[in-house]
Amino acid sequence: MNVVGLEGTRISSIVSFGALNGMLFGPFWGSIVSGTGLLLHEIMTGTYLSKNTFSQISPLLIALSSIVAGLVVNREHKAAKTIFFGLIVIWYLLDVGRVALYYPWFHLLVLSCFIILEKPILIKTATSRVYVFLALFMAALMGVLSDHMAGSIAYYLIYDLPANMYQSVVFIYPVERTILAMFPAFLVYVLIIVFKDILLSSGSIEQEIEEIRSRDLDEYLHNDVMKIIKRT
């Protein structure tokens, strides 16, 4: 779809696959798959060199999306938050950032929500499917928003866009980015649920789980309960 206020610029589902690759393959391999995949596609179609500068650096932006999404899924939250917040800081260091103050409002909102939900997500993803999807959605959303902020910074540095161009989409890009984040989050969620059900339906896996539970219970009774009984 065309980006409102920016002639000849479009937003595509490619950024969704950037976040998806990071969630599936991790921050390192996911970024390589995303960056090299997009680069090779452009080279093979013969359009890479003929495109503008912003389009030529797009593989790096997609790779960044994979890095942030992959870090969140791998529970390397500190690194993910540092990159995400660092991009916002860079925006405010630019002249345009000090004029279009409210442009990153959605990024700040998402970062705040992630910080608030970080501990519940870590604790409850093992027992709640709702929190599993929430964790995946936050990973995808932070990934696509990292691409968005890095792209906004790059676009300003390359083309020196005025602040009003960014202000014109301040309430539009959150909708676009949320939609783009839903796809990878939902796909990975389905894969996790399907593979989990397949594993649990296996008799050997189920037996191993029961043996582990029984062993844990025996250790608890022997190490904790017996000590309490002896003390009394």
Side-chain angles (χ1 to χ4, degrees):
M1 65 184 73
N2 292 323
V3 177
V4 177
L6 302 178
E7 184 177 354
T9 302
R10 296 187 305 166
I11 182 173
S12 73
S13 60
I14 292 176
V15 68
S16 290
F17 288 97
L20 178 64
N21 288 332
M23 295 163 74
L24 291 177
F25 305 115
F28 179 73
W29 289 111
S31 62
I32 291 178
V33 170
S34 298
T36 57
L38 180 57
L39 180 61
L40 290 174
H41 169 73
E42 297 293 348
I43 292 175
M44 292 177 66
T45 55
T47 60
Y48 180 73
L49 295 178
S50 63
K51 289 192 172 184
N52 56 50
T53 305
F54 181 80
S55 297
Q56 289 176 348
I57 66 171
S58 291
L60 297 177
L61 305 180
I62 298 300
L64 179 62
S65 175
S66 299
I67 291 172
V68 174
L71 287 172
V72 175
V73 169
N74 283 2
R75 299 193 172 190
E76 300 176 52
H77 292 174
K78 185 177 181 179
K81 289 185 292 186
T82 300
I83 295 174
F84 195 80
F85 183 68
L87 292 170
I88 299 174
V89 171
I90 293 173
W91 171 259
Y92 282 118
L93 290 176
L94 300 174
D95 292 336
V96 68
R98 291 191 290 270
V99 177
L101 291 173
Y102 300 111
Y103 183 66
W105 73 269
F106 191 60
H107 301 75
L108 292 169
L109 176 63
V110 170
L111 180 59
S112 300
C113 291
F114 180 70
I115 292 173
I116 293 172
L117 296 172
E118 185 175 1
K119 287 186 178 179
I121 285 175
L122 288 173
I123 295 172
K124 297 183 180 181
T125 47
T127 57
S128 172
R129 291 188 176 186
V130 173
Y131 275 89
V132 170
F133 180 79
L134 181 60
L136 295 173
F137 178 67
M138 292 300 298
L141 190 56
M142 290 184 68
V144 299
L145 284 176
S146 296
D147 167 89
H148 177 259
M149 182 52 67
S152 299
I153 293 169
Y155 220 102
Y156 171 74
L157 295 175
I158 296 170
Y159 300 110
D160 194 25
L161 292 181
N164 66 325
M165 299 290 282
Y166 294 96
Q167 291 170 333
S168 66
V169 297
V170 71
F171 294 114
I172 298 174
Y173 80 79
V175 178
E176 296 172 340
R177 294 290 153 169
T178 301
I179 293 173
L180 290 173
M182 288 295 295
F183 165 71
F186 179 75
L187 180 57
V188 176
Y189 175 77
V190 171
L191 290 174
I192 289 175
I193 297 303
V194 169
F195 280 109
K196 181 180 179 182
D197 290 341
I198 290 175
L199 288 173
L200 290 178
S201 65
S202 171
S204 59
I205 295 293
E206 188 174 0
Q207 183 178 356
E208 290 179 7
I209 293 175
E210 290 299 326
E211 290 177 355
I212 292 173
R213 289 175 176 173
S214 177
R215 186 167 58 251
D216 290 341
L217 179 59
D218 290 340
E219 291 178 358
Y220 170 72
L221 291 173
H222 181 268
N223 296 330
D224 297 325
V225 176
M226 291 302 294
K227 289 181 179 179
I228 296 174
I229 293 175
K230 289 179 180 180
R231 289 174 184 174
T232 56

